[in-house]
Amino acid sequence: MPGRLRGVARRAVMASTATAAPHRVQLRQLGELKDQRVLTETGFEDQKSRILSS
């Protein structure tokens, strides 16, 4: 039974990492746009909230 629980926990971590990776990429790109002054601070915060809530 402990081996099974470890497997379930491992899959849960892998699943959460897989969904977090696209958010990390999007947030990095968003930060780059803000640094390049393509996005305002308000626009950055709005988009960041949208990404994190999805």
Side-chain angles (χ1 to χ4, degrees), residues 28-54:
R28 186 179 321 118
Q29 291 171 341
L30 199 61
E32 290 171 1
L33 291 173
K34 185 181 123 194
D35 291 345
Q36 296 167 6
R37 299 178 189 253
V38 174
L39 277 178
T40 63
E41 184 68 33
T42 304
F44 172 78
E45 291 299 326
D46 290 345
Q47 292 299 318
K48 183 174 93 173
S49 293
R50 183 186 59 79
I51 291 168
L52 293 176
S53 69
S54 64

Side-chain angles (χ1 to χ4, degrees), residues 10-25:
R10 187 178 319 119
R11 282 192 297 278
V13 168
M14 290 171 64
S16 68
T17 303
T19 57
H23 288 140
R24 245 189 318 238
V25 170

